[in-house]
Amino acid sequence: ATFYESTFWNRWYAQLASDDVAKRVFDSAVNQGPGTAVRILQEAVNGADPTTLPIAEDGDWGPVTLAAVNGAAFPDALVQSFKSFRIARYKAIVAANPSDQRYLADWIARTER
């Protein structure tokens, strides 16, 4: 628990205003790696509110990403967008590696926690 708290939670995700967003990004970082989790979050920000300026989808955590996430006008839409992009990532993994199909149902269920 200490490893996950210091490596993932305290380093980035404790800065997020929405607990729903934070717990999903945290889980994604543990499961898919921090760069992938941040990239999915950036995609989700860009997909959740088309009226805002897009941010770079580079997987780098920084003040622009943090401000965009914490300033999201519709946090529930951001959570749904994050889930959708995360599921799309899992499906892309299976498309590239069909032997991973056996994990897909569990991966998708994980997005709902």
Side-chain angles (χ1 to χ4, degrees):
T2 302
F3 167 78
Y4 292 107
E5 184 176 16
S6 65
T7 303
F8 299 107
W9 190 260
N10 289 341
R11 189 169 172 198
W12 302 303
Y13 310 116
Q15 301 173 54
L16 295 173
S18 167
D19 286 340
D20 283 339
V21 172
K23 72 180 182 182
R24 285 176 171 79
V25 176
F26 171 77
D27 183 68
S28 181
V30 170
N31 184 248
Q32 299 173 289
T36 298
V38 172
R39 189 173 300 106
I40 292 169
L41 180 60
Q42 292 163 335
E43 292 171 339
V45 166
N46 289 337
D49 185 0
T51 65
T52 61
L53 292 174
I55 60 172
E57 296 173 3
D58 57 10
D60 290 333
W61 183 260
V64 172
T65 298
L66 181 62
V69 173
N70 286 342
F74 305 101
D76 292 339
L78 179 56
V79 168
Q80 292 306 314
S81 182
F82 186 80
K83 287 180 183 181
S84 295
F85 280 102
R86 191 171 177 195
I87 289 169
R89 171 80 175 147
Y90 286 135
K91 289 180 177 180
I93 291 169
V94 170
N97 303 293
S99 64
D100 287 339
Q101 176 69 40
R102 63 182 180 236
Y103 304 118
L104 186 59
D106 289 336
W107 289 341
I108 290 174
R110 187 174 185 137
T111 67
E112 296 299 327
R113 295 185 196 138

mmCIF file with all atom_site columns, all heavy atoms in Angstrom, residues 87-113:
data_model
loop_
_atom_site.group_PDB
_atom_site.id
_atom_site.type_symbol
_atom_site.label_atom_id
_atom_site.label_alt_id
_atom_site.label_comp_id
_atom_site.label_asym_id
_atom_site.label_entity_id
_atom_site.label_seq_id
_atom_site.pdbx_PDB_ins_code
_atom_site.Cartn_x
_atom_site.Cartn_y
_atom_site.Cartn_z
_atom_site.occupancy
_atom_site.B_iso_or_equiv
_atom_site.pdbx_formal_charge
_atom_site.auth_seq_id
_atom_site.auth_comp_id
_atom_site.auth_asym_id
_atom_site.auth_atom_id
_atom_site.pdbx_PDB_model_num
ATOM 1   N N   . ILE A 1 87  ? -11.703 1.694   -21.949 1.00 0.00 ? 87  ILE A N   1
ATOM 2   C CA  . ILE A 1 87  ? -12.216 0.477   -22.586 1.00 0.00 ? 87  ILE A CA  1
ATOM 3   C C   . ILE A 1 87  ? -11.688 0.376   -24.014 1.00 0.00 ? 87  ILE A C   1
ATOM 4   O O   . ILE A 1 87  ? -11.294 -0.707  -24.458 1.00 0.00 ? 87  ILE A O   1
ATOM 5   C CB  . ILE A 1 87  ? -13.761 0.445   -22.538 1.00 0.00 ? 87  ILE A CB  1
ATOM 6   C CG1 . ILE A 1 87  ? -14.225 0.197   -21.096 1.00 0.00 ? 87  ILE A CG1 1
ATOM 7   C CG2 . ILE A 1 87  ? -14.320 -0.616  -23.481 1.00 0.00 ? 87  ILE A CG2 1
ATOM 8   C CD1 . ILE A 1 87  ? -15.716 0.395   -20.875 1.00 0.00 ? 87  ILE A CD1 1
ATOM 9   N N   . ALA A 1 88  ? -11.663 1.483   -24.733 1.00 0.00 ? 88  ALA A N   1
ATOM 10  C CA  . ALA A 1 88  ? -11.124 1.474   -26.100 1.00 0.00 ? 88  ALA A CA  1
ATOM 11  C C   . ALA A 1 88  ? -9.665  1.021   -26.095 1.00 0.00 ? 88  ALA A C   1
ATOM 12  O O   . ALA A 1 88  ? -9.236  0.279   -26.985 1.00 0.00 ? 88  ALA A O   1
ATOM 13  C CB  . ALA A 1 88  ? -11.264 2.849   -26.730 1.00 0.00 ? 88  ALA A CB  1
ATOM 14  N N   . ARG A 1 89  ? -8.911  1.456   -25.116 1.00 0.00 ? 89  ARG A N   1
ATOM 15  C CA  . ARG A 1 89  ? -7.501  1.040   -25.002 1.00 0.00 ? 89  ARG A CA  1
ATOM 16  C C   . ARG A 1 89  ? -7.409  -0.466  -24.778 1.00 0.00 ? 89  ARG A C   1
ATOM 17  O O   . ARG A 1 89  ? -6.592  -1.139  -25.396 1.00 0.00 ? 89  ARG A O   1
ATOM 18  C CB  . ARG A 1 89  ? -6.843  1.815   -23.863 1.00 0.00 ? 89  ARG A CB  1
ATOM 19  C CG  . ARG A 1 89  ? -5.478  1.341   -23.490 1.00 0.00 ? 89  ARG A CG  1
ATOM 20  C CD  . ARG A 1 89  ? -4.419  1.868   -24.422 1.00 0.00 ? 89  ARG A CD  1
ATOM 21  N NE  . ARG A 1 89  ? -3.134  1.449   -23.895 1.00 0.00 ? 89  ARG A NE  1
ATOM 22  C CZ  . ARG A 1 89  ? -2.099  1.156   -24.633 1.00 0.00 ? 89  ARG A CZ  1
ATOM 23  N NH1 . ARG A 1 89  ? -2.145  1.287   -25.929 1.00 0.00 ? 89  ARG A NH1 1
ATOM 24  N NH2 . ARG A 1 89  ? -0.986  0.751   -24.084 1.00 0.00 ? 89  ARG A NH2 1
ATOM 25  N N   . TYR A 1 90  ? -8.246  -0.996  -23.894 1.00 0.00 ? 90  TYR A N   1
ATOM 26  C CA  . TYR A 1 90  ? -8.242  -2.449  -23.656 1.00 0.00 ? 90  TYR A CA  1
ATOM 27  C C   . TYR A 1 90  ? -8.602  -3.209  -24.937 1.00 0.00 ? 90  TYR A C   1
ATOM 28  O O   . TYR A 1 90  ? -7.992  -4.234  -25.255 1.00 0.00 ? 90  TYR A O   1
ATOM 29  C CB  . TYR A 1 90  ? -9.224  -2.823  -22.544 1.00 0.00 ? 90  TYR A CB  1
ATOM 30  C CG  . TYR A 1 90  ? -8.762  -2.451  -21.151 1.00 0.00 ? 90  TYR A CG  1
ATOM 31  C CD1 . TYR A 1 90  ? -9.630  -1.848  -20.254 1.00 0.00 ? 90  TYR A CD1 1
ATOM 32  C CD2 . TYR A 1 90  ? -7.476  -2.725  -20.711 1.00 0.00 ? 90  TYR A CD2 1
ATOM 33  C CE1 . TYR A 1 90  ? -9.230  -1.522  -18.971 1.00 0.00 ? 90  TYR A CE1 1
ATOM 34  C CE2 . TYR A 1 90  ? -7.066  -2.401  -19.426 1.00 0.00 ? 90  TYR A CE2 1
ATOM 35  C CZ  . TYR A 1 90  ? -7.948  -1.800  -18.566 1.00 0.00 ? 90  TYR A CZ  1
ATOM 36  O OH  . TYR A 1 90  ? -7.547  -1.480  -17.291 1.00 0.00 ? 90  TYR A OH  1
ATOM 37  N N   . LYS A 1 91  ? -9.596  -2.711  -25.664 1.00 0.00 ? 91  LYS A N   1
ATOM 38  C CA  . LYS A 1 91  ? -9.991  -3.376  -26.909 1.00 0.00 ? 91  LYS A CA  1
ATOM 39  C C   . LYS A 1 91  ? -8.869  -3.312  -27.946 1.00 0.00 ? 91  LYS A C   1
ATOM 40  O O   . LYS A 1 91  ? -8.684  -4.257  -28.714 1.00 0.00 ? 91  LYS A O   1
ATOM 41  C CB  . LYS A 1 91  ? -11.281 -2.768  -27.448 1.00 0.00 ? 91  LYS A CB  1
ATOM 42  C CG  . LYS A 1 91  ? -12.490 -3.151  -26.598 1.00 0.00 ? 91  LYS A CG  1
ATOM 43  C CD  . LYS A 1 91  ? -13.766 -2.550  -27.140 1.00 0.00 ? 91  LYS A CD  1
ATOM 44  C CE  . LYS A 1 91  ? -14.957 -3.008  -26.318 1.00 0.00 ? 91  LYS A CE  1
ATOM 45  N NZ  . LYS A 1 91  ? -16.225 -2.440  -26.809 1.00 0.00 ? 91  LYS A NZ  1
ATOM 46  N N   . ALA A 1 92  ? -8.124  -2.224  -27.962 1.00 0.00 ? 92  ALA A N   1
ATOM 47  C CA  . ALA A 1 92  ? -6.981  -2.114  -28.881 1.00 0.00 ? 92  ALA A CA  1
ATOM 48  C C   . ALA A 1 92  ? -5.893  -3.121  -28.517 1.00 0.00 ? 92  ALA A C   1
ATOM 49  O O   . ALA A 1 92  ? -5.251  -3.694  -29.399 1.00 0.00 ? 92  ALA A O   1
ATOM 50  C CB  . ALA A 1 92  ? -6.425  -0.694  -28.863 1.00 0.00 ? 92  ALA A CB  1
ATOM 51  N N   . ILE A 1 93  ? -5.702  -3.341  -27.233 1.00 0.00 ? 93  ILE A N   1
ATOM 52  C CA  . ILE A 1 93  ? -4.729  -4.345  -26.790 1.00 0.00 ? 93  ILE A CA  1
ATOM 53  C C   . ILE A 1 93  ? -5.130  -5.721  -27.303 1.00 0.00 ? 93  ILE A C   1
ATOM 54  O O   . ILE A 1 93  ? -4.301  -6.468  -27.831 1.00 0.00 ? 93  ILE A O   1
ATOM 55  C CB  . ILE A 1 93  ? -4.603  -4.353  -25.249 1.00 0.00 ? 93  ILE A CB  1
ATOM 56  C CG1 . ILE A 1 93  ? -3.922  -3.072  -24.766 1.00 0.00 ? 93  ILE A CG1 1
ATOM 57  C CG2 . ILE A 1 93  ? -3.842  -5.589  -24.759 1.00 0.00 ? 93  ILE A CG2 1
ATOM 58  C CD1 . ILE A 1 93  ? -3.977  -2.857  -23.262 1.00 0.00 ? 93  ILE A CD1 1
ATOM 59  N N   . VAL A 1 94  ? -6.411  -6.044  -27.179 1.00 0.00 ? 94  VAL A N   1
ATOM 60  C CA  . VAL A 1 94  ? -6.901  -7.346  -27.634 1.00 0.00 ? 94  VAL A CA  1
ATOM 61  C C   . VAL A 1 94  ? -6.820  -7.453  -29.153 1.00 0.00 ? 94  VAL A C   1
ATOM 62  O O   . VAL A 1 94  ? -6.467  -8.510  -29.688 1.00 0.00 ? 94  VAL A O   1
ATOM 63  C CB  . VAL A 1 94  ? -8.335  -7.600  -27.117 1.00 0.00 ? 94  VAL A CB  1
ATOM 64  C CG1 . VAL A 1 94  ? -8.953  -8.828  -27.764 1.00 0.00 ? 94  VAL A CG1 1
ATOM 65  C CG2 . VAL A 1 94  ? -8.330  -7.746  -25.599 1.00 0.00 ? 94  VAL A CG2 1
ATOM 66  N N   . ALA A 1 95  ? -7.114  -6.366  -29.856 1.00 0.00 ? 95  ALA A N   1
ATOM 67  C CA  . ALA A 1 95  ? -7.018  -6.387  -31.319 1.00 0.00 ? 95  ALA A CA  1
ATOM 68  C C   . ALA A 1 95  ? -5.583  -6.670  -31.761 1.00 0.00 ? 95  ALA A C   1
ATOM 69  O O   . ALA A 1 95  ? -5.356  -7.388  -32.740 1.00 0.00 ? 95  ALA A O   1
ATOM 70  C CB  . ALA A 1 95  ? -7.509  -5.068  -31.908 1.00 0.00 ? 95  ALA A CB  1
ATOM 71  N N   . ALA A 1 96  ? -4.629  -6.112  -31.034 1.00 0.00 ? 96  ALA A N   1
ATOM 72  C CA  . ALA A 1 96  ? -3.216  -6.322  -31.370 1.00 0.00 ? 96  ALA A CA  1
ATOM 73  C C   . ALA A 1 96  ? -2.702  -7.676  -30.884 1.00 0.00 ? 96  ALA A C   1
ATOM 74  O O   . ALA A 1 96  ? -1.762  -8.226  -31.463 1.00 0.00 ? 96  ALA A O   1
ATOM 75  C CB  . ALA A 1 96  ? -2.365  -5.202  -30.775 1.00 0.00 ? 96  ALA A CB  1
ATOM 76  N N   . ASN A 1 97  ? -3.311  -8.189  -29.834 1.00 0.00 ? 97  ASN A N   1
ATOM 77  C CA  . ASN A 1 97  ? -2.890  -9.460  -29.228 1.00 0.00 ? 97  ASN A CA  1
ATOM 78  C C   . ASN A 1 97  ? -4.120  -10.296 -28.898 1.00 0.00 ? 97  ASN A C   1
ATOM 79  O O   . ASN A 1 97  ? -4.582  -10.294 -27.750 1.00 0.00 ? 97  ASN A O   1
ATOM 80  C CB  . ASN A 1 97  ? -2.100  -9.198  -27.931 1.00 0.00 ? 97  ASN A CB  1
ATOM 81  C CG  . ASN A 1 97  ? -0.905  -8.327  -28.158 1.00 0.00 ? 97  ASN A CG  1
ATOM 82  O OD1 . ASN A 1 97  ? 0.033   -8.718  -28.821 1.00 0.00 ? 97  ASN A OD1 1
ATOM 83  N ND2 . ASN A 1 97  ? -0.953  -7.110  -27.620 1.00 0.00 ? 97  ASN A ND2 1
ATOM 84  N N   . PRO A 1 98  ? -4.685  -10.992 -29.878 1.00 0.00 ? 98  PRO A N   1
ATOM 85  C CA  . PRO A 1 98  ? -5.927  -11.729 -29.659 1.00 0.00 ? 98  PRO A CA  1
ATOM 86  C C   . PRO A 1 98  ? -5.885  -12.712 -28.483 1.00 0.00 ? 98  PRO A C   1
ATOM 87  O O   . PRO A 1 98  ? -6.922  -13.006 -27.883 1.00 0.00 ? 98  PRO A O   1
ATOM 88  C CB  . PRO A 1 98  ? -6.146  -12.464 -30.990 1.00 0.00 ? 98  PRO A CB  1
ATOM 89  C CG  . PRO A 1 98  ? -5.465  -11.607 -31.996 1.00 0.00 ? 98  PRO A CG  1
ATOM 90  C CD  . PRO A 1 98  ? -4.255  -11.058 -31.284 1.00 0.00 ? 98  PRO A CD  1
ATOM 91  N N   . SER A 1 99  ? -4.713  -13.186 -28.121 1.00 0.00 ? 99  SER A N   1
ATOM 92  C CA  . SER A 1 99  ? -4.632  -14.107 -26.974 1.00 0.00 ? 99  SER A CA  1
ATOM 93  C C   . SER A 1 99  ? -5.017  -13.419 -25.662 1.00 0.00 ? 99  SER A C   1
ATOM 94  O O   . SER A 1 99  ? -5.331  -14.088 -24.679 1.00 0.00 ? 99  SER A O   1
ATOM 95  C CB  . SER A 1 99  ? -3.225  -14.698 -26.857 1.00 0.00 ? 99  SER A CB  1
ATOM 96  O OG  . SER A 1 99  ? -2.280  -13.683 -26.580 1.00 0.00 ? 99  SER A OG  1
ATOM 97  N N   . ASP A 1 100 ? -5.038  -12.089 -25.647 1.00 0.00 ? 100 ASP A N   1
ATOM 98  C CA  . ASP A 1 100 ? -5.441  -11.349 -24.452 1.00 0.00 ? 100 ASP A CA  1
ATOM 99  C C   . ASP A 1 100 ? -6.956  -11.225 -24.311 1.00 0.00 ? 100 ASP A C   1
ATOM 100 O O   . ASP A 1 100 ? -7.443  -10.652 -23.336 1.00 0.00 ? 100 ASP A O   1
ATOM 101 C CB  . ASP A 1 100 ? -4.814  -9.956  -24.445 1.00 0.00 ? 100 ASP A CB  1
ATOM 102 C CG  . ASP A 1 100 ? -3.329  -9.981  -24.140 1.00 0.00 ? 100 ASP A CG  1
ATOM 103 O OD1 . ASP A 1 100 ? -2.860  -10.981 -23.560 1.00 0.00 ? 100 ASP A OD1 1
ATOM 104 O OD2 . ASP A 1 100 ? -2.644  -9.003  -24.488 1.00 0.00 ? 100 ASP A OD2 1
ATOM 105 N N   . GLN A 1 101 ? -7.692  -11.766 -25.265 1.00 0.00 ? 101 GLN A N   1
ATOM 106 C CA  . GLN A 1 101 ? -9.161  -11.711 -25.219 1.00 0.00 ? 101 GLN A CA  1
ATOM 107 C C   . GLN A 1 101 ? -9.689  -12.256 -23.893 1.00 0.00 ? 101 GLN A C   1
ATOM 108 O O   . GLN A 1 101 ? -10.672 -11.753 -23.362 1.00 0.00 ? 101 GLN A O   1
ATOM 109 C CB  . GLN A 1 101 ? -9.749  -12.519 -26.388 1.00 0.00 ? 101 GLN A CB  1
ATOM 110 C CG  . GLN A 1 101 ? -11.261 -12.612 -26.384 1.00 0.00 ? 101 GLN A CG  1
ATOM 111 C CD  . GLN A 1 101 ? -11.946 -11.284 -26.669 1.00 0.00 ? 101 GLN A CD  1
ATOM 112 O OE1 . GLN A 1 101 ? -11.495 -10.529 -27.522 1.00 0.00 ? 101 GLN A OE1 1
ATOM 113 N NE2 . GLN A 1 101 ? -13.014 -10.998 -25.972 1.00 0.00 ? 101 GLN A NE2 1
ATOM 114 N N   . ARG A 1 102 ? -9.027  -13.220 -23.329 1.00 0.00 ? 102 ARG A N   1
ATOM 115 C CA  . ARG A 1 102 ? -9.483  -13.845 -22.075 1.00 0.00 ? 102 ARG A CA  1
ATOM 116 C C   . ARG A 1 102 ? -9.497  -12.854 -20.911 1.00 0.00 ? 102 ARG A C   1
ATOM 117 O O   . ARG A 1 102 ? -10.161 -13.074 -19.912 1.00 0.00 ? 102 ARG A O   1
ATOM 118 C CB  . ARG A 1 102 ? -8.615  -15.055 -21.747 1.00 0.00 ? 102 ARG A CB  1
ATOM 119 C CG  . ARG A 1 102 ? -7.174  -14.704 -21.505 1.00 0.00 ? 102 ARG A CG  1
ATOM 120 C CD  . ARG A 1 102 ? -6.311  -15.935 -21.217 1.00 0.00 ? 102 ARG A CD  1
ATOM 121 N NE  . ARG A 1 102 ? -4.949  -15.514 -20.996 1.00 0.00 ? 102 ARG A NE  1
ATOM 122 C CZ  . ARG A 1 102 ? -3.910  -15.954 -21.672 1.00 0.00 ? 102 ARG A CZ  1
ATOM 123 N NH1 . ARG A 1 102 ? -4.073  -16.859 -22.607 1.00 0.00 ? 102 ARG A NH1 1
ATOM 124 N NH2 . ARG A 1 102 ? -2.714  -15.512 -21.405 1.00 0.00 ? 102 ARG A NH2 1
ATOM 125 N N   . TYR A 1 103 ? -8.775  -11.751 -21.024 1.00 0.00 ? 103 TYR A N   1
ATOM 126 C CA  . TYR A 1 103 ? -8.727  -10.742 -19.963 1.00 0.00 ? 103 TYR A CA  1
ATOM 127 C C   . TYR A 1 103 ? -9.738  -9.622  -20.151 1.00 0.00 ? 103 TYR A C   1
ATOM 128 O O   . TYR A 1 103 ? -9.996  -8.854  -19.220 1.00 0.00 ? 103 TYR A O   1
ATOM 129 C CB  . TYR A 1 103 ? -7.333  -10.099 -19.882 1.00 0.00 ? 103 TYR A CB  1
ATOM 130 C CG  . TYR A 1 103 ? -6.215  -11.080 -19.694 1.00 0.00 ? 103 TYR A CG  1
ATOM 131 C CD1 . TYR A 1 103 ? -5.220  -11.204 -20.657 1.00 0.00 ? 103 TYR A CD1 1
ATOM 132 C CD2 . TYR A 1 103 ? -6.127  -11.873 -18.560 1.00 0.00 ? 103 TYR A CD2 1
ATOM 133 C CE1 . TYR A 1 103 ? -4.172  -12.099 -20.497 1.00 0.00 ? 103 TYR A CE1 1
ATOM 134 C CE2 . TYR A 1 103 ? -5.087  -12.769 -18.383 1.00 0.00 ? 103 TYR A CE2 1
ATOM 135 C CZ  . TYR A 1 103 ? -4.109  -12.879 -19.356 1.00 0.00 ? 103 TYR A CZ  1
ATOM 136 O OH  . TYR A 1 103 ? -3.082  -13.758 -19.191 1.00 0.00 ? 103 TYR A OH  1
ATOM 137 N N   . LEU A 1 104 ? -10.278 -9.496  -21.333 1.00 0.00 ? 104 LEU A N   1
ATOM 138 C CA  . LEU A 1 104 ? -11.066 -8.321  -21.690 1.00 0.00 ? 104 LEU A CA  1
ATOM 139 C C   . LEU A 1 104 ? -12.255 -8.093  -20.761 1.00 0.00 ? 104 LEU A C   1
ATOM 140 O O   . LEU A 1 104 ? -12.480 -6.965  -20.315 1.00 0.00 ? 104 LEU A O   1
ATOM 141 C CB  . LEU A 1 104 ? -11.526 -8.388  -23.146 1.00 0.00 ? 104 LEU A CB  1
ATOM 142 C CG  . LEU A 1 104 ? -12.239 -7.144  -23.674 1.00 0.00 ? 104 LEU A CG  1
ATOM 143 C CD1 . LEU A 1 104 ? -11.337 -5.917  -23.566 1.00 0.00 ? 104 LEU A CD1 1
ATOM 144 C CD2 . LEU A 1 104 ? -12.671 -7.363  -25.119 1.00 0.00 ? 104 LEU A CD2 1
ATOM 145 N N   . ALA A 1 105 ? -13.017 -9.113  -20.452 1.00 0.00 ? 105 ALA A N   1
ATOM 146 C CA  . ALA A 1 105 ? -14.196 -8.932  -19.593 1.00 0.00 ? 105 ALA A CA  1
ATOM 147 C C   . ALA A 1 105 ? -13.792 -8.393  -18.215 1.00 0.00 ? 105 ALA A C   1
ATOM 148 O O   . ALA A 1 105 ? -14.452 -7.493  -17.678 1.00 0.00 ? 105 ALA A O   1
ATOM 149 C CB  . ALA A 1 105 ? -14.961 -10.243 -19.454 1.00 0.00 ? 105 ALA A CB  1
ATOM 150 N N   . ASP A 1 106 ? -12.714 -8.916  -17.668 1.00 0.00 ? 106 ASP A N   1
ATOM 151 C CA  . ASP A 1 106 ? -12.251 -8.432  -16.358 1.00 0.00 ? 106 ASP A CA  1
ATOM 152 C C   . ASP A 1 106 ? -11.731 -7.000  -16.454 1.00 0.00 ? 106 ASP A C   1
ATOM 153 O O   . ASP A 1 106 ? -11.947 -6.193  -15.555 1.00 0.00 ? 106 ASP A O   1
ATOM 154 C CB  . ASP A 1 106 ? -11.161 -9.344  -15.787 1.00 0.00 ? 106 ASP A CB  1
ATOM 155 C CG  . ASP A 1 106 ? -11.705 -10.694 -15.348 1.00 0.00 ? 106 ASP A CG  1
ATOM 156 O OD1 . ASP A 1 106 ? -12.907 -10.791 -15.044 1.00 0.00 ? 106 ASP A OD1 1
ATOM 157 O OD2 . ASP A 1 106 ? -10.917 -11.652 -15.309 1.00 0.00 ? 106 ASP A OD2 1
ATOM 158 N N   . TRP A 1 107 ? -11.031 -6.688  -17.538 1.00 0.00 ? 107 TRP A N   1
ATOM 159 C CA  . TRP A 1 107 ? -10.529 -5.324  -17.717 1.00 0.00 ? 107 TRP A CA  1
ATOM 160 C C   . TRP A 1 107 ? -11.680 -4.326  -17.812 1.00 0.00 ? 107 TRP A C   1
ATOM 161 O O   . TRP A 1 107 ? -11.638 -3.256  -17.212 1.00 0.00 ? 107 TRP A O   1
ATOM 162 C CB  . TRP A 1 107 ? -9.668  -5.227  -18.961 1.00 0.00 ? 107 TRP A CB  1
ATOM 163 C CG  . TRP A 1 107 ? -8.332  -5.893  -18.876 1.00 0.00 ? 107 TRP A CG  1
ATOM 164 C CD1 . TRP A 1 107 ? -7.653  -6.259  -17.745 1.00 0.00 ? 107 TRP A CD1 1
ATOM 165 C CD2 . TRP A 1 107 ? -7.503  -6.251  -19.970 1.00 0.00 ? 107 TRP A CD2 1
ATOM 166 N NE1 . TRP A 1 107 ? -6.452  -6.827  -18.068 1.00 0.00 ? 107 TRP A NE1 1
ATOM 167 C CE2 . TRP A 1 107 ? -6.328  -6.832  -19.444 1.00 0.00 ? 107 TRP A CE2 1
ATOM 168 C CE3 . TRP A 1 107 ? -7.625  -6.150  -21.348 1.00 0.00 ? 107 TRP A CE3 1
ATOM 169 C CZ2 . TRP A 1 107 ? -5.289  -7.293  -20.250 1.00 0.00 ? 107 TRP A CZ2 1
ATOM 170 C CZ3 . TRP A 1 107 ? -6.591  -6.604  -22.147 1.00 0.00 ? 107 TRP A CZ3 1
ATOM 171 C CH2 . TRP A 1 107 ? -5.430  -7.179  -21.599 1.00 0.00 ? 107 TRP A CH2 1
ATOM 172 N N   . ILE A 1 108 ? -12.697 -4.695  -18.570 1.00 0.00 ? 108 ILE A N   1
ATOM 173 C CA  . ILE A 1 108 ? -13.847 -3.798  -18.718 1.00 0.00 ? 108 ILE A CA  1
ATOM 174 C C   . ILE A 1 108 ? -14.576 -3.650  -17.387 1.00 0.00 ? 108 ILE A C   1
ATOM 175 O O   . ILE A 1 108 ? -14.962 -2.538  -17.003 1.00 0.00 ? 108 ILE A O   1
ATOM 176 C CB  . ILE A 1 108 ? -14.781 -4.280  -19.849 1.00 0.00 ? 108 ILE A CB  1
ATOM 177 C CG1 . ILE A 1 108 ? -14.070 -4.080  -21.200 1.00 0.00 ? 108 ILE A CG1 1
ATOM 178 C CG2 . ILE A 1 108 ? -16.110 -3.552  -19.809 1.00 0.00 ? 108 ILE A CG2 1
ATOM 179 C CD1 . ILE A 1 108 ? -14.800 -4.646  -22.384 1.00 0.00 ? 108 ILE A CD1 1
ATOM 180 N N   . ALA A 1 109 ? -14.738 -4.747  -16.662 1.00 0.00 ? 109 ALA A N   1
ATOM 181 C CA  . ALA A 1 109 ? -15.387 -4.663  -15.336 1.00 0.00 ? 109 ALA A CA  1
ATOM 182 C C   . ALA A 1 109 ? -14.580 -3.762  -14.399 1.00 0.00 ? 109 ALA A C   1
ATOM 183 O O   . ALA A 1 109 ? -15.158 -3.038  -13.581 1.00 0.00 ? 109 ALA A O   1
ATOM 184 C CB  . ALA A 1 109 ? -15.523 -6.066  -14.743 1.00 0.00 ? 109 ALA A CB  1
ATOM 185 N N   . ARG A 1 110 ? -13.278 -3.786  -14.540 1.00 0.00 ? 110 ARG A N   1
ATOM 186 C CA  . ARG A 1 110 ? -12.404 -2.966  -13.697 1.00 0.00 ? 110 ARG A CA  1
ATOM 187 C C   . ARG A 1 110 ? -12.693 -1.471  -13.893 1.00 0.00 ? 110 ARG A C   1
ATOM 188 O O   . ARG A 1 110 ? -12.540 -0.679  -12.969 1.00 0.00 ? 110 ARG A O   1
ATOM 189 C CB  . ARG A 1 110 ? -10.958 -3.293  -14.039 1.00 0.00 ? 110 ARG A CB  1
ATOM 190 C CG  . ARG A 1 110 ? -9.950  -2.655  -13.150 1.00 0.00 ? 110 ARG A CG  1
ATOM 191 C CD  . ARG A 1 110 ? -8.564  -3.151  -13.486 1.00 0.00 ? 110 ARG A CD  1
ATOM 192 N NE  . ARG A 1 110 ? -7.639  -2.597  -12.517 1.00 0.00 ? 110 ARG A NE  1
ATOM 193 C CZ  . ARG A 1 110 ? -6.662  -3.259  -11.936 1.00 0.00 ? 110 ARG A CZ  1
ATOM 194 N NH1 . ARG A 1 110 ? -6.448  -4.504  -12.265 1.00 0.00 ? 110 ARG A NH1 1
ATOM 195 N NH2 . ARG A 1 110 ? -5.897  -2.683  -11.066 1.00 0.00 ? 110 ARG A NH2 1
ATOM 196 N N   . THR A 1 111 ? -13.090 -1.079  -15.100 1.00 0.00 ? 111 THR A N   1
ATOM 197 C CA  . THR A 1 111 ? -13.360 0.335   -15.362 1.00 0.00 ? 111 THR A CA  1
ATOM 198 C C   . THR A 1 111 ? -14.582 0.843   -14.591 1.00 0.00 ? 111 THR A C   1
ATOM 199 O O   . THR A 1 111 ? -14.732 2.041   -14.387 1.00 0.00 ? 111 THR A O   1
ATOM 200 C CB  . THR A 1 111 ? -13.586 0.617   -16.863 1.00 0.00 ? 111 THR A CB  1
ATOM 201 O OG1 . THR A 1 111 ? -14.785 -0.011  -17.288 1.00 0.00 ? 111 THR A OG1 1
ATOM 202 C CG2 . THR A 1 111 ? -12.411 0.172   -17.690 1.00 0.00 ? 111 THR A CG2 1
ATOM 203 N N   . GLU A 1 112 ? -15.441 -0.048  -14.179 1.00 0.00 ? 112 GLU A N   1
ATOM 204 C CA  . GLU A 1 112 ? -16.677 0.346   -13.486 1.00 0.00 ? 112 GLU A CA  1
ATOM 205 C C   . GLU A 1 112 ? -16.500 0.504   -11.979 1.00 0.00 ? 112 GLU A C   1
ATOM 206 O O   . GLU A 1 112 ? -17.377 1.009   -11.310 1.00 0.00 ? 112 GLU A O   1
ATOM 207 C CB  . GLU A 1 112 ? -17.789 -0.668  -13.758 1.00 0.00 ? 112 GLU A CB  1
ATOM 208 C CG  . GLU A 1 112 ? -18.204 -0.724  -15.211 1.00 0.00 ? 112 GLU A CG  1
ATOM 209 C CD  . GLU A 1 112 ? -18.750 0.606   -15.716 1.00 0.00 ? 112 GLU A CD  1
ATOM 210 O OE1 . GLU A 1 112 ? -19.371 1.352   -14.943 1.00 0.00 ? 112 GLU A OE1 1
ATOM 211 O OE2 . GLU A 1 112 ? -18.525 0.914   -16.894 1.00 0.00 ? 112 GLU A OE2 1
ATOM 212 N N   . ARG A 1 113 ? -15.377 0.074   -11.459 1.00 0.00 ? 113 ARG A N   1
ATOM 213 C CA  . ARG A 1 113 ? -15.183 0.156   -9.997  1.00 0.00 ? 113 ARG A CA  1
ATOM 214 C C   . ARG A 1 113 ? -14.945 1.557   -9.552  1.00 0.00 ? 113 ARG A C   1
ATOM 215 O O   . ARG A 1 113 ? -14.503 2.421   -10.174 1.00 0.00 ? 113 ARG A O   1
ATOM 216 C CB  . ARG A 1 113 ? -14.001 -0.716  -9.575  1.00 0.00 ? 113 ARG A CB  1
ATOM 217 C CG  . ARG A 1 113 ? -14.263 -2.160  -9.817  1.00 0.00 ? 113 ARG A CG  1
ATOM 218 C CD  . ARG A 1 113 ? -13.116 -2.986  -9.271  1.00 0.00 ? 113 ARG A CD  1
ATOM 219 N NE  . ARG A 1 113 ? -13.224 -4.308  -9.852  1.00 0.00 ? 113 ARG A NE  1
ATOM 220 C CZ  . ARG A 1 113 ? -12.192 -5.002  -10.295 1.00 0.00 ? 113 ARG A CZ  1
ATOM 221 N NH1 . ARG A 1 113 ? -10.984 -4.531  -10.203 1.00 0.00 ? 113 ARG A NH1 1
ATOM 222 N NH2 . ARG A 1 113 ? -12.356 -6.189  -10.805 1.00 0.00 ? 113 ARG A NH2 1
#
